[in-house]
Amino acid sequence: MDVPGSDWLLVPLQQLVSWAAAGAMVFGGVVPYIPQYRDIRRTQNAEGFSTYVCLVLLVANILRILFWFGRHFESPLLWQSIVMIVTMLLMLKLCTEVRVSNELNVKRRFFADFDPHHFWHWSSFADYLQCVLAFAGVAGYVTYLSIDSALFVETLGFLAVLTEAMLGVPQLYRNHRHRSTEGMSIKMVLMWTSGDTFKTAYFLLNGAPLQFSVCGLLQVLVDLAILAQAYAFARRPSKPSPHTVHPTSAKAL
């Protein structure tokens, strides 16, 4: 027998779960960077974190925001991109300040030099900010001109999520090339795997655009492949490494 008025409990509970999932979606992606930010600030050493991670995530999330103008998707996914952009800018600012403070008698390099040999290796956070704003301006203008093209909009969305999905590939290649995962944080990989799995499930359950779901699955597969490398290489006897190993994040480039 149905219990009359049972919806008074189920509806608020469902709403609470929905809010919790949306909050995890918005802020979950930045959680792995919090201890990394604190470690860099405490040690004043940024060698273990590649700023190319920031570059990839900035490009991916700027493209995702532009994709939203052509095809509206879930609001939490839009806010996730905004929060991630702010986080990556903060990471860039800290890493640049630490690196410059540790450099002695090094020639200052600027974005305005337009020197491809020193791209993303500038001496001031302002130069990185100029580059990001220039990219956003050009990409935004092209999107404005092509917003009525369904092919362009869908391609834009695919590029946005594919860029983010490929973030772990350089680490996968590095491990394969060196036949070792030494210096890689397993905890970081586990955090990324759990986060990417949750994110992909969120895409599938909330009917996100197909590009999001496909690239989310690809991202999970890359994470699992990195974990498989860690397991396989850990079972092999250690050999003297011919290369210098530096601590790296799971998504380091």
Side-chain angles (χ1 to χ4, degrees):
M1 182 174 66
D2 294 336
V3 179
S6 60
D7 287 348
W8 73 269
L9 179 60
L10 292 178
V11 172
L13 184 59
Q14 291 174 349
Q15 189 67 47
L16 182 62
V17 171
S18 177
W19 287 344
M25 194 67 212
V26 173
F27 297 103
V30 305
V31 171
Y33 295 101
I34 295 176
Q36 208 154 31
Y37 182 94
R38 296 178 63 182
D39 286 345
I40 293 174
R41 189 171 183 178
R42 176 177 54 84
T43 63
Q44 291 297 296
N45 186 344
E47 291 184 1
F49 179 77
S50 172
T51 55
Y52 281 106
V53 173
C54 301
L55 173 62
V56 172
L57 287 176
L58 285 168
V59 170
N61 285 282
I62 288 172
L63 293 180
R64 185 193 288 187
I65 291 175
L66 294 176
F67 176 51
W68 181 86
F69 287 99
R71 182 178 175 184
H72 287 3
F73 46 78
E74 288 279 321
S75 295
L77 300 181
L78 177 64
W79 281 106
Q80 180 200 38
S81 291
I82 295 173
V83 170
M84 183 61 77
I85 288 174
V86 172
T87 302
M88 289 301 101
L89 290 176
L90 290 174
M91 289 292 298
L92 262 179
K93 185 175 186 298
L94 177 64
C95 290
T96 304
E97 291 174 350
V98 169
R99 176 172 55 82
V100 171
S101 66
N102 291 333
E103 290 178 343
L104 298 175
N105 300 322
V106 176
K107 180 181 177 182
R108 296 184 62 84
R109 308 195 181 278
F110 305 95
F111 169 68
D113 295 337
F114 299 111
D115 185 349
H117 297 290
H118 299 96
F119 177 77
W120 213 249
H121 291 287
W122 301 305
S123 303
S124 171
F125 171 69
D127 294 289
Y128 292 93
L129 193 58
Q130 290 172 21
C131 179
V132 172
L133 291 176
F135 172 77
V138 172
Y141 182 67
V142 173
T143 301
Y144 174 76
L145 295 178
S146 309
I147 198 67
D148 293 329
S149 170
L151 176 61
F152 173 83
V153 171
E154 295 301 322
T155 302
L156 182 64
F158 179 75
L159 288 176
V161 290
L162 181 63
T163 302
E164 185 176 356
M166 293 293 100
L167 194 58
V169 171
Q171 182 70 52
L172 187 71
Y173 173 73
R174 172 192 176 278
N175 296 342
H176 174 74
R177 182 162 57 92
H178 296 314
R179 311 302 293 175
S180 170
T181 57
E182 185 179 356
M184 184 188 75
S185 171
I186 300 298
K187 290 182 179 179
M188 180 69 76
V189 181
L190 290 172
M191 290 177 69
W192 274 106
T193 305
S194 59
D196 292 339
T197 301
F198 171 81
K199 181 172 62 178
T200 303
Y202 185 92
F203 292 158
L204 294 171
L205 294 175
N206 287 274
L210 181 62
Q211 298 99 320
F212 285 68
S213 300
V214 172
C215 292
L217 289 171
L218 177 60
Q219 200 165 0
V220 172
L221 290 176
V222 171
D223 293 338
L224 293 176
I226 294 174
L227 289 174
Q229 286 180 325
Y231 175 77
F233 296 150
R235 293 172 59 87
R236 296 181 179 180
S238 59
K239 297 179 180 180
S241 177
H243 60 279
T244 302
V245 178
H246 297 285
T248 60
S249 70
K251 303 282 184 174
L253 295 178

